[in-house]
Amino acid sequence: MAKYFDVHPENPQRRTINTVADTIRSDGLVVYPTDSCFALGCRLGSREGINRIRSIRDLDDRHHFTLVCRDFAQLGQFVHVDKDVFRAVKAATPGSYTFILPATKEVPRQLLHPKKKTVGVRIPEHVVAQALVEELGEPLLSSTLLLPGEDEPMTQGWEIKERLDHVVDAVLDSGDCGTEPTTVIDFSGGEPEIVRRGAGDTARFE
């Protein structure tokens, strides 16, 4: 049964954030809020967590997982970013964007796109998500909480707790999230390719 935690959206309680981070460190799978919508999150190297996310969302091995990072310095440890791409990504972060980029050797193989060897990265503009990633001290392996057959993510933490009670370990709630996932931009070929239009404005990449 999942534990439910309600935190203040602007001043999340440190003890609660620490408890949820400990759950992640113990190979737990959590639901947490972001600046676009709720997401599933687990420890970077957790094979069990990855498999659980795949099962909940019915994902195949071509799905790009996302590493939610604290800041640009942390992001740069896990993906290769050349100068032109650096400027474009830097200008759009933090924000509701996910960027597909070539992964470094720091990224576990099971997270990579099987052909491209790429991974998604993002820096959220959300106090609770930032507090959680900061406490972890490493990126949070994430995927949008969008269930199979549904067009929009769930927006209520209590509803998520009821629906996913037996398949996640914790739900971290700070009030309503949006219903739009991040905008996904693929930079792996050098030029920006809009893979998914979502919460982030695409004008700067067109």
Side-chain angles (χ1 to χ4, degrees), residues 105 107-114 117:
K105 292 181 179 179
V107 180
R109 183 178 297 177
Q110 66 265 31
L111 300 186
L112 303 180
H113 187 283
K117 307 304 181 189

PDB file of all heavy atoms in Angstrom, residues 105 107-114 117:
ATOM      1  N   LYS A 105      28.695   7.890 -20.365  1.00  0.00           N
ATOM      2  CA  LYS A 105      28.838   6.558 -19.764  1.00  0.00           C
ATOM      3  C   LYS A 105      28.265   6.490 -18.349  1.00  0.00           C
ATOM      4  O   LYS A 105      28.181   5.400 -17.769  1.00  0.00           O
ATOM      5  CB  LYS A 105      30.316   6.150 -19.762  1.00  0.00           C
ATOM      6  CG  LYS A 105      30.870   5.912 -21.158  1.00  0.00           C
ATOM      7  CD  LYS A 105      32.334   5.484 -21.129  1.00  0.00           C
ATOM      8  CE  LYS A 105      32.869   5.233 -22.528  1.00  0.00           C
ATOM      9  NZ  LYS A 105      34.301   4.828 -22.510  1.00  0.00           N
ATOM     10  N   VAL A 107      25.250   7.026 -17.630  1.00  0.00           N
ATOM     11  CA  VAL A 107      23.858   6.588 -17.722  1.00  0.00           C
ATOM     12  C   VAL A 107      23.803   5.059 -17.859  1.00  0.00           C
ATOM     13  O   VAL A 107      24.431   4.495 -18.757  1.00  0.00           O
ATOM     14  CB  VAL A 107      23.152   7.235 -18.939  1.00  0.00           C
ATOM     15  CG1 VAL A 107      21.696   6.769 -19.027  1.00  0.00           C
ATOM     16  CG2 VAL A 107      23.220   8.761 -18.835  1.00  0.00           C
ATOM     17  N   PRO A 108      23.068   4.380 -16.986  1.00  0.00           N
ATOM     18  CA  PRO A 108      22.943   2.922 -17.090  1.00  0.00           C
ATOM     19  C   PRO A 108      22.411   2.496 -18.456  1.00  0.00           C
ATOM     20  O   PRO A 108      21.523   3.151 -19.018  1.00  0.00           O
ATOM     21  CB  PRO A 108      21.935   2.583 -15.981  1.00  0.00           C
ATOM     22  CG  PRO A 108      22.071   3.692 -14.986  1.00  0.00           C
ATOM     23  CD  PRO A 108      22.363   4.907 -15.798  1.00  0.00           C
ATOM     24  N   ARG A 109      22.954   1.408 -18.980  1.00  0.00           N
ATOM     25  CA  ARG A 109      22.626   0.966 -20.334  1.00  0.00           C
ATOM     26  C   ARG A 109      21.132   0.733 -20.535  1.00  0.00           C
ATOM     27  O   ARG A 109      20.586   1.001 -21.601  1.00  0.00           O
ATOM     28  CB  ARG A 109      23.399  -0.319 -20.660  1.00  0.00           C
ATOM     29  CG  ARG A 109      23.177  -0.827 -22.076  1.00  0.00           C
ATOM     30  CD  ARG A 109      24.011  -2.060 -22.346  1.00  0.00           C
ATOM     31  NE  ARG A 109      25.440  -1.774 -22.258  1.00  0.00           N
ATOM     32  CZ  ARG A 109      26.388  -2.693 -22.402  1.00  0.00           C
ATOM     33  NH1 ARG A 109      26.058  -3.958 -22.601  1.00  0.00           N
ATOM     34  NH2 ARG A 109      27.661  -2.359 -22.322  1.00  0.00           N
ATOM     35  N   GLN A 110      20.452   0.228 -19.494  1.00  0.00           N
ATOM     36  CA  GLN A 110      19.033  -0.102 -19.655  1.00  0.00           C
ATOM     37  C   GLN A 110      18.150   1.126 -19.852  1.00  0.00           C
ATOM     38  O   GLN A 110      16.988   1.005 -20.235  1.00  0.00           O
ATOM     39  CB  GLN A 110      18.513  -0.930 -18.475  1.00  0.00           C
ATOM     40  CG  GLN A 110      18.483  -0.218 -17.137  1.00  0.00           C
ATOM     41  CD  GLN A 110      19.729  -0.503 -16.315  1.00  0.00           C
ATOM     42  OE1 GLN A 110      20.798  -0.706 -16.871  1.00  0.00           O
ATOM     43  NE2 GLN A 110      19.585  -0.538 -15.007  1.00  0.00           N
ATOM     44  N   LEU A 111      18.707   2.323 -19.627  1.00  0.00           N
ATOM     45  CA  LEU A 111      17.934   3.550 -19.829  1.00  0.00           C
ATOM     46  C   LEU A 111      18.066   4.093 -21.242  1.00  0.00           C
ATOM     47  O   LEU A 111      17.289   4.962 -21.651  1.00  0.00           O
ATOM     48  CB  LEU A 111      18.399   4.637 -18.855  1.00  0.00           C
ATOM     49  CG  LEU A 111      18.290   4.346 -17.367  1.00  0.00           C
ATOM     50  CD1 LEU A 111      18.666   5.588 -16.591  1.00  0.00           C
ATOM     51  CD2 LEU A 111      16.873   3.923 -17.019  1.00  0.00           C
ATOM     52  N   LEU A 112      19.041   3.621 -21.982  1.00  0.00           N
ATOM     53  CA  LEU A 112      19.341   4.197 -23.293  1.00  0.00           C
ATOM     54  C   LEU A 112      18.380   3.702 -24.361  1.00  0.00           C
ATOM     55  O   LEU A 112      17.920   2.561 -24.338  1.00  0.00           O
ATOM     56  CB  LEU A 112      20.773   3.841 -23.706  1.00  0.00           C
ATOM     57  CG  LEU A 112      21.902   4.257 -22.757  1.00  0.00           C
ATOM     58  CD1 LEU A 112      23.235   3.823 -23.332  1.00  0.00           C
ATOM     59  CD2 LEU A 112      21.875   5.755 -22.521  1.00  0.00           C
ATOM     60  N   HIS A 113      18.098   4.595 -25.316  1.00  0.00           N
ATOM     61  CA  HIS A 113      17.396   4.162 -26.516  1.00  0.00           C
ATOM     62  C   HIS A 113      18.278   3.116 -27.187  1.00  0.00           C
ATOM     63  O   HIS A 113      19.482   3.330 -27.386  1.00  0.00           O
ATOM     64  CB  HIS A 113      17.171   5.346 -27.458  1.00  0.00           C
ATOM     65  CG  HIS A 113      16.325   5.033 -28.639  1.00  0.00           C
ATOM     66  ND1 HIS A 113      16.800   4.334 -29.723  1.00  0.00           N
ATOM     67  CD2 HIS A 113      15.023   5.307 -28.911  1.00  0.00           C
ATOM     68  CE1 HIS A 113      15.829   4.213 -30.616  1.00  0.00           C
ATOM     69  NE2 HIS A 113      14.742   4.784 -30.150  1.00  0.00           N
ATOM     70  N   PRO A 114      17.731   1.929 -27.561  1.00  0.00           N
ATOM     71  CA  PRO A 114      18.563   0.823 -28.025  1.00  0.00           C
ATOM     72  C   PRO A 114      19.400   1.122 -29.268  1.00  0.00           C
ATOM     73  O   PRO A 114      20.476   0.551 -29.441  1.00  0.00           O
ATOM     74  CB  PRO A 114      17.549  -0.298 -28.300  1.00  0.00           C
ATOM     75  CG  PRO A 114      16.226   0.383 -28.411  1.00  0.00           C
ATOM     76  CD  PRO A 114      16.305   1.573 -27.520  1.00  0.00           C
ATOM     77  N   LYS A 117      21.286   5.407 -28.445  1.00  0.00           N
ATOM     78  CA  LYS A 117      22.114   5.610 -27.236  1.00  0.00           C
ATOM     79  C   LYS A 117      21.901   7.006 -26.662  1.00  0.00           C
ATOM     80  O   LYS A 117      22.835   7.698 -26.262  1.00  0.00           O
ATOM     81  CB  LYS A 117      23.609   5.377 -27.546  1.00  0.00           C
ATOM     82  CG  LYS A 117      23.893   4.043 -28.205  1.00  0.00           C
ATOM     83  CD  LYS A 117      23.370   2.878 -27.394  1.00  0.00           C
ATOM     84  CE  LYS A 117      23.672   1.534 -28.057  1.00  0.00           C
ATOM     85  NZ  LYS A 117      22.993   0.403 -27.410  1.00  0.00           N
TER      86      LYS A 117
END
